[in-house]
Amino acid sequence: VQLQASGGGLVQAGGSLRLSCVASGATRGLYSMAWFRQAPGKEREFVANSWVSGRTYYADYVKGRFTISRDNAKNTVYLQMNSLKPEDTAVYYCAADRALVQATRQSYDFWGQGTQVTVSS
C-alpha cells in the first residue's frame, strides 16, 4: 500500500487548509486511516483517525477545529483544518492499517511521505 499526502502549504493564523491522502496498491481492508504530525524537534503526535465504519477520534488540541473524513470508494482520507494556529505548524503524515487501530496509537503498517503545513502568526 502506498499513501500519497498533499494539500499542505503556508497559511496565516486563523486560516484553513485541507489535506488529502490517497491510498494505492493493495487497498482492500484499510479499516483505519489517520493523520499524525511532527513539528521540528518534537516527537510525532496523533491528530485524528477514522475507521471505515465512520467512527472518528481526535486529539484534544485539534478537537473542534479539524475534521477527518474519508471517501472509501476513492481510498482517500481528508483532514479539514480550520482556525489554524502557529502551533499547528508541522509535517503532517497520513497512515493506514487493516486493523481497527485504537485512539492515539501509532501502530499503523502504512505511512505516507508527509506534507508540510506552516502557519504564520
Side-chain angles (χ1 to χ4, degrees):
V1 175
Q2 295 79 45
L3 301 177
Q4 180 70 44
S6 62
L10 174 64
V11 64
Q12 288 188 330
S16 298
L17 281 175
R18 187 193 195 207
L19 306 183
S20 300
C21 176
V22 180
S24 61
T27 59
R28 193 167 189 175
L30 292 178
Y31 292 118
S32 299
M33 298 188 80
W35 290 96
F36 292 81
R37 68 186 186 186
Q38 187 168 21
K42 295 187 177 181
E43 294 186 350
R44 186 172 62 194
E45 63 182 10
F46 171 81
V47 174
N49 74 357
S50 173
W51 288 358
V52 68
S53 62
R55 175 194 176 277
T56 58
Y57 187 85
Y58 295 91
D60 287 342
Y61 36 82
V62 304
K63 199 173 295 183
R65 300 187 298 121
F66 292 10
T67 302
I68 188 171
S69 61
R70 56 192 290 176
D71 184 333
N72 294 321
K74 295 182 178 179
N75 297 311
T76 301
V77 62
Y78 304 97
L79 186 68
Q80 178 66 44
M81 306 185 295
N82 299 328
S83 302
L84 282 161
K85 304 175 182 180
E87 51 264 44
D88 294 319
T89 295
V91 177
Y92 283 71
Y93 297 91
C94 59
D97 200 279
R98 293 194 172 93
L100 295 176
V101 182
Q102 297 290 336
T104 64
R105 295 187 66 182
Q106 300 200 18
S107 55
Y108 288 82
D109 283 342
F110 309 108
W111 291 84
Q113 86 291 355
T115 184
Q116 176 70 47
V117 171
T118 303
V119 185
S120 63
S121 56

